[in-house]
C-alpha cells in the first residue's frame, strides 16, 4: 500500500500561508517530495469554495512554477472553513479527508501533518482541535508551529505546559526558519568537517565572535506587531540565539543516519545546543546598546509609523555582549547585533582570531591584520577567510587578502532551497534536529527575559539612530571594547 499524506494548513487565508507555507508545499510537490497520494487542505474561518481558494493560491504561486505544475498542484488542494475551536466540525472534516483518500480499511496508512499559520490567540484552541478531532488513526501526526512561542520565560513555560496536555515533544515541530537556511545547515559541516578549522574554534584561537543581522527597512505598517515584541524578541531570542548555539556547540555524537537504538539523531544536536544556552548568563543593561530609528528626512522614523503607539521606547536595534561560560569559550566575547532600518541587508557570523604569537615583531610591525572567518547567510551565501599574504610584486610588506567561496559563483541558484521548503521536508521525514526543542526555547528565553523586564519597566530610552545608518555609534564602541579590531583600521 502507498502511504497517504494529509497536510492541513490552519490559517490558510493568512499572510504566512500565502508567503511561506503554500510556496514551500508547492516546491516540495514540484520536486516530487510529496507522496503520490497527498491532499493539502487549507482551513480557516472565512467561507470560501474550493475553487475560490484555488484561484487565490494560484495568485500566490504563479511565478513559482509552470502553469502545468500549478494546475496539477491545485488538483490536490482543497479548502474547508470552520472555527479553530470547533472540535466537532473538525472531526467531520477529518473523516471527510480520510474518505477522500479512499482509505477503505485500517491497513491503509494515512499520515497527518498540521501546519499552524495562525495568530497566537488561536494557538491553543487549534492545538486542542487537532488533538481531539484530527489525529491520524493509522499513521503519524506531526504538528508544525510558528513563533511567537510566548513573550518571556514565564509565558513560554505556560504555553509549553498547555500544549503538553495535548501533544508530547515527538509530535511538535517548532519552526525557526533560520535553521533551514543553507549557511546555517552548513555550520556543522564547516566546523566539524575540516581539519584546518576544527581545532581553532575555541578560546585559545578565537579572539571574538560577532553575529550580526541588518535590515534596510523599518516596520513599515507592521509596527503594531513589532511594538509588542521589539528587536530582541523578533530576531535575537530566536534566530540569532539558534545561530549562537550552533556555532558554539560541542560536536554532536551524530548528525546523520540512525542511532544505535534505531531512533533519529536529532536529540544529539539539540542536547549540545541547549548546553551552550545554559552556559550564557542572562543579558544585562551593562552589556547592551539599544537604539530606535528616527527619520533621516526622507524615510520615516519608528515613531512616525502610525501603527506604533506614541512615545514608544521599544528598541529597533540592539547590540549585546555575552560570554559562554564553559571550557571551550570562557573569556571570548560573543557580540550579537540586530537592527531594522539600517544601511544594508546582511546577516553574518564573523570569527576574529588571535594574533599569531611573535608575528608582529618578526615582521617589524606594531601589529598585523587579524585573520577572520566570515560566514555570510544572506544576501548571497558565502564563506570567506581574511588571511595575510606578502604584497604581490617587489614589495615585501604584508597585506590582507581574502579567500572567497561565493555560493552564487560556485553553485547554481536552484541548489539552494528556501528555508521553509527544506524544513517542511524534514517534517515529512520526521527529522526534528532542525526544530527547536522546548528546553532550548526556555533556555533562550531565560537569557533575554531579565533584560526585557528592565527595558519594559519603562526607564530605558533607546539611542536614536538615523534610518539608513549603521546604527548607534555606541554599538561600535561596545565591539571595539570587546577587543575586536576592524581590519580596515590598520
Ligand atoms: C522574522 C521577523 O522572524 O524574520 C522579521 O519577524 C524579520 O522581522 C525576518 O524580517 C527575517 O527573516 P529573513 O529570512 O528575511 O532574514
Amino acid at each position: 500500500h502507498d502511504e497517504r499524506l494529509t497536510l492541513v494548513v490552519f490559517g490558510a487565508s493568512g499572510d504566512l500561508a500565502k508567503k511561506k507555507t503554500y510556496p514551500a508545499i508547492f516546491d516540495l510537490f514540484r520536486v516530487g517530495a510529496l507522496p503520490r497520494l497527498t491532499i493539502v487542505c487549507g482551513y480557516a474561518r472565512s467561507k470560501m469554495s474550493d475553487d475560490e481558494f484555488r484561484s487565490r493560491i494560484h495568485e500566490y504561486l504563479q511565478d513559482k512554477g509552470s502553469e502545468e505544475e500549478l494546475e496539477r498542484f491545485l488538483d490536490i488542494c482543497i479548502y474547508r472553513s470552520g472555527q479553530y475551536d470547533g472540535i466537532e466540525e473538525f472531526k467531520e472534516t477529518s473523516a471527510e479527508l480520510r474518505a477522500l483518500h479512499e482509505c477503505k480499511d485500517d491497513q491503509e496508512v494515512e499520515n497527518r501533518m498540521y501546519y499552524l499559520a495562525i495568530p497566537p490567540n488561536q494557538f491553543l484552541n487549534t492545538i486542542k482541535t487537532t488533538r481531539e478531532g484530527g489525529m491520524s488513526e493509522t499513521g503519524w501526526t506531526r504538528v508544525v508551529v510558528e513563533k511567537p512561542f510566548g513573550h518571556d520565560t514565564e509565558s513560554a513555560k505556560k504555553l509549553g505546559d498547555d500544549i503538553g496536555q495535548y501533544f508530547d515533544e515527538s509530535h511538535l515541530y517548532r519552526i525557526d526558519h533560520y535553521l533551514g537556511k543553507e549557511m546555517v545547515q552548513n555550520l556543522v559541516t564547516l566546523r566539524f568537517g575540516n581539519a584546518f578549522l576544527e581545532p581553532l574554534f575555541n578560546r585559545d584561537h578565537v579572539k571574538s565572535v560577532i553575529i550580526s543581522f541588518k535590515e534596510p527597512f523599518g516596520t513599515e505598517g507592521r509596527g503594531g506587531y513589532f511594538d509588542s515584541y521589539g528587536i530582541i524578541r523578533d530576531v535575537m531570542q530566536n534566530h540569532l540565539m539558534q545561530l549562537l548555539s550552533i556555532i558554539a556547540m560541542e560536536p554532536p555524537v551524530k548528525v546523520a543516519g540512525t542511532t544505535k537504538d534505531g531512533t533519529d539523531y536529532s536529540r544529539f544536536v539539540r542536547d549540545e545546543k541547549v548546553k551552550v544556552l545554559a552556559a550564557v548568563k542572562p543579558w544585562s543593561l551593562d552589556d547592551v546598546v539599544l537604539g530606535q530609528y528616527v527619520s533621516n528626512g526622507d524615510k520615516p522614523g519608528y515613531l512616525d509609523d502610525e501603527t506604533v503607539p506614541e512615545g514608544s521606547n521599544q528598541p529597533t536595534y540592539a547590540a549585546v555582549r555575552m560570554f559562554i561560560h564553559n571550557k571551550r569559550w570562557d573569556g571570548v566575547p560573543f557580540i550579537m547585533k540586530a537592527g531594522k532600518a539600517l544601511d544594508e541587508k546582511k546577516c553574518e557570523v564573523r570569527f576574529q582570531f588571535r594574533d599569531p604569537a611573535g608575528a608582529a615583531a618578526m615582521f617589524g610591525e606594531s601589529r598585523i591584520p587579524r585573520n577572520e572567518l566570515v560566514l555570510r547567510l544572506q544576501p548571497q551565501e558565502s564563506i570567506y577567510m581574511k588571511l595575510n599574504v606578502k604584497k604581490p610584486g617587489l614589495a615585501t610588506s604584508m597585506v590582507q587578502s581574502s579567500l572567497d567561496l561565493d555560493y552564487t559563483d560556485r553553485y547554481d541558484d536552484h541548489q539552494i532551497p528556501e528555508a521553509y521548503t527544506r524544513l517542511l521536508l524534514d517534517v515529512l521525514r520526521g527529522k526534528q534536529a532542525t526544530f527547536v526543542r522546548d528546553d532550548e526555547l526556555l533556555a533562550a528565553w531565560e537569557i533575554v527575559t531579565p533584560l526585557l523586564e528592565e527595558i519594559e519597566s519603562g526607564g530605558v530610552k533607546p539611542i536614536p539612530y538615523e534610518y539608513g545608518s549603521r546604527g548607534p555609534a555606541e554599538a561600535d564602541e561596545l565591539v571595539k571594547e570587546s577587543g575586536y579590531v576592524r581590519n580596515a583600521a590598520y
Side-chain angles (χ1 to χ4, degrees):
H1 291 284
D2 271 336
E3 286 196 1
R4 287 130 162 96
L5 173 70
T6 305
L7 207 164
V8 179
V9 181
F10 284 114
S13 52
D15 218 38
L16 178 70
K18 171 165 103 185
K19 289 197 184 127
K20 303 288 182 190
T21 321
Y22 272 94
I25 301 170
F26 181 44
D27 258 358
L28 291 178
F29 175 82
R30 285 177 44 238
V31 299
L34 296 180
R36 194 173 57 85
L37 301 170
T38 294
I39 297 174
V40 183
C41 174
Y43 190 94
R45 284 177 294 204
S46 13
K47 294 225 177 317
M48 235 185 298
S49 69
D50 281 348
D51 279 343
E52 277 169 293
F53 184 68
R54 286 184 188 125
S55 71
R56 269 202 194 200
I57 333 184
H58 189 276
E59 224 173 279
Y60 316 154
L61 302 178
Q62 53 188 347
D63 54 341
K64 307 220 160 27
S66 71
E67 193 52 36
E68 185 268 334
E69 288 166 326
L70 204 66
E71 289 304 323
R72 278 196 294 121
F73 178 65
L74 293 179
D75 267 356
I76 66 165
C77 292
I78 62 168
Y79 178 83
R80 294 294 174 268
S81 71
Q83 297 303 315
Y84 294 121
D85 59 358
I87 297 175
E88 291 312 314
E89 295 173 84
F90 196 70
K91 276 187 185 159
E92 281 170 32
T93 304
S94 194
E96 188 198 345
L97 286 166
R98 202 164 154 73
L100 281 173
H101 263 313
E102 297 174 348
C103 291
K104 292 192 194 68
D105 57 52
D106 289 349
Q107 300 308 308
E108 282 165 319
V109 173
E110 184 219 0
N111 296 317
R112 290 270 170 122
M113 175 167 152
Y114 288 95
Y115 196 109
L116 273 58
I118 45 165
N121 59 357
Q122 294 298 335
F123 203 78
L124 211 55
N125 282 338
T126 316
I127 288 274
K128 187 170 175 196
T129 300
T130 307
R131 174 79 221 190
E132 290 177 4
M135 293 298 282
S136 162
E137 290 162 23
T138 49
W140 49 253
T141 302
R142 295 181 184 145
V143 183
V144 186
V145 289
E146 279 275 349
K147 76 166 178 147
F149 305 121
H151 207 247
D152 53 16
T153 308
E154 206 180 309
S155 55
K157 235 183 226 160
K158 165 125 185 21
L159 182 65
D161 290 346
D162 291 346
I163 296 175
Q165 294 178 15
Y166 303 103
F167 287 106
D168 66 39
E169 204 51 37
S170 68
H171 292 111
L172 291 172
Y173 290 72
R174 292 181 197 81
I175 278 211
D176 183 311
H177 76 284
Y178 268 57
L179 293 177
K181 291 192 187 263
E182 183 68 31
M183 232 6 112
V184 179
Q185 301 226 325
N186 192 18
L187 276 166
V188 172
T189 313
L190 194 77
R191 275 195 62 196
F192 301 113
N194 289 296
F196 58 78
L197 292 180
E198 193 281 329
L200 301 185
F201 285 100
N202 55 55
R203 66 193 301 271
D204 298 333
H205 300 286
V206 175
K207 183 84 180 156
S208 62
V209 183
I210 303 179
I211 300 173
S212 56
F213 169 99
K214 299 168 93 178
E215 277 182 343
F217 44 83
T219 49
E220 267 108 37
R222 212 175 146 237
Y225 150 79
F226 188 88
D227 201 76
S228 57
Y229 289 88
I231 193 73
I232 295 175
R233 290 188 184 90
D234 191 40
V235 298
M236 295 172 110
Q237 181 275 341
N238 41 36
H239 308 327
L240 303 191
M241 210 69 98
Q242 285 294 318
L243 266 177
L244 172 82
S245 65
I246 301 174
I247 60 176
M249 73 179 174
E250 295 301 313
V253 178
K254 252 179 178 297
V255 294
T258 44
T259 56
K260 267 191 258 172
D261 57 5
T263 54
D264 175 42
Y265 56 83
S266 301
R267 72 187 146 97
F268 293 129
V269 179
R270 304 201 289 183
D271 287 350
E272 296 309 332
K273 284 168 62 194
V274 75
K275 283 186 216 162
V276 173
L277 299 178
V280 176
K281 286 196 187 133
W283 292 350
S284 101
L285 271 181
D286 298 339
D287 285 319
V288 173
V289 173
L290 300 170
Q292 190 184 78
Y293 66 90
V294 294
S295 170
N296 59 1
D298 177 23
K299 297 278 194 173
Y302 179 66
L303 296 178
D304 304 326
D305 184 331
E306 275 171 16
T307 52
V308 169
E310 216 169 297
S312 166
N313 274 334
Q314 194 57 270
T316 58
Y317 178 98
V320 186
R321 175 177 46 208
M322 70 195 113
F323 295 90
I324 299 172
H325 300 276
N326 66 14
K327 186 164 182 276
R328 182 185 287 268
W329 295 112
D330 204 15
V332 179
F334 281 75
I335 294 148
M336 200 181 264
K337 301 192 289 178
K340 299 254 171 201
L342 296 176
D343 54 341
E344 58 182 345
K345 176 167 175 68
K346 191 182 268 187
C347 182
E348 62 175 33
V349 182
R350 183 176 291 265
F351 294 86
Q352 187 168 81
F353 292 89
R354 291 183 183 282
D355 300 321
M362 183 181 147
F363 288 97
E365 304 280 351
S366 59
R367 59 201 314 184
I368 61 170
R370 290 222 179 112
N371 289 142
E372 289 188 358
L373 172 69
V374 185
L375 314 173
R376 193 163 71 216
L377 273 67
Q378 58 197 32
Q380 293 197 355
E381 292 82 352
S382 77
I383 302 169
Y384 57 96
M385 274 185 216
K386 294 197 170 182
L387 79 172
N388 299 325
V389 296
K390 186 192 83 63
K391 194 171 179 189
L394 293 176
T396 52
S397 55
M398 181 183 277
V399 287
Q400 187 153 74
S401 192
S402 171
L403 262 183
D404 211 337
L405 170 56
D406 186 320
Y407 273 47
T408 326
D409 291 347
R410 189 67 58 89
Y411 304 108
D412 280 352
D413 263 1
H414 69 262
Q415 284 177 297
I416 302 184
E418 281 291 318
Y420 274 87
T421 304
R422 188 177 339 234
L423 292 177
L424 288 197
L425 184 60
D426 282 351
V427 179
L428 287 179
R429 292 177 173 164
K431 295 194 170 181
Q432 290 187 299
T434 42
F435 295 85
V436 183
R437 200 168 62 188
D438 59 345
D439 53 346
E440 284 181 72
L441 179 69
L442 286 181
W445 275 121
E446 278 163 6
I447 295 172
V448 300
T449 297
L451 176 69
L452 291 171
E453 282 169 357
E454 254 185 289
I455 297 173
E456 279 153 21
S457 65
V460 187
K461 262 208 149 329
I463 302 165
Y465 63 94
E466 261 191 22
Y467 196 120
S469 69
R470 298 192 62 235
E474 286 80 347
D476 289 336
E477 273 309 303
L478 182 82
V479 170
K480 205 164 145 199
E481 253 174 48
S482 309
Y484 176 82
V485 183
R486 286 183 79 184
N487 278 326
Y490 284 99

